Amino acid sequence: MGKTKAFLAAFLAIALISACTLTARASAEADKGAAAGLAALDRFEATVRSLKLTEDQTPKIDKYFAAARADTKALADIADAAEREKKSRAISSKLRSQIGEVLTNPQKAELIKKMPPPVDTDAMIDRIKRDLNKPGSKLTEDQKTRVNAVLDDTKKKLDDIMANAKETQVDPAPKVQEVLKDMKVKLTEILSPTAGK
């Protein structure tokens, strides 16, 4: 009986240490995510403020960035990385929309010019293609054909969106996110264990 109690005590101590370690890791990861979000927010705010805002625009911009900053700091309290990412995207999307409502068309065009270039989606899609078509990928020929078709279609859609954004001076981010989300759904469907059967 004494050995059983000692074993249980040791087991509980190990479980407690493991739980504390995992919680600390999740917390550190969340803090890093929030810090990265705040850094990106600071860069975006500096770019927006460089647009020669009017006296009427400045208080609105101040209010929107203060709210986004508070929401971004709150992300550190969310341990689930997927949930944190989802909320982070929602914060960014809402802020872009609010800022877009305040800026004039010439300011929006200037903002698009000043923003850093988006992720090279062509390179990203080519990398996904290479990874999924490696000899050890265990994909059927049908899956490879379907994956390549989805990726080629996504690449074309993204190229069209970016070309349209340059022409119209409209923020392409919401449409890009929509296309990438659709790509993910289609690839998940194709790559599910039952898809090749």
Side-chain angles (χ1 to χ4, degrees), residues 27-55:
S27 177
E29 192 176 299
D31 287 345
K32 273 192 224 174
L38 288 171
L41 188 61
D42 288 342
R43 287 190 301 274
F44 182 51
E45 184 174 8
T47 305
V48 169
R49 292 194 184 281
S50 73
L51 298 174
K52 299 176 185 164
L53 301 172
T54 66
E55 287 181 22

Side-chain angles (χ1 to χ4, degrees), residues 50-78:
S50 73
L51 298 174
K52 299 176 185 164
L53 301 172
T54 66
E55 287 181 22
D56 186 42
Q57 291 173 317
T58 303
K60 293 174 186 173
I61 297 291
D62 291 344
K63 181 177 94 174
Y64 295 145
F65 275 105
R69 187 164 277 102
D71 291 345
T72 301
K73 285 179 182 176
L75 293 176
D77 296 334
I78 301 172

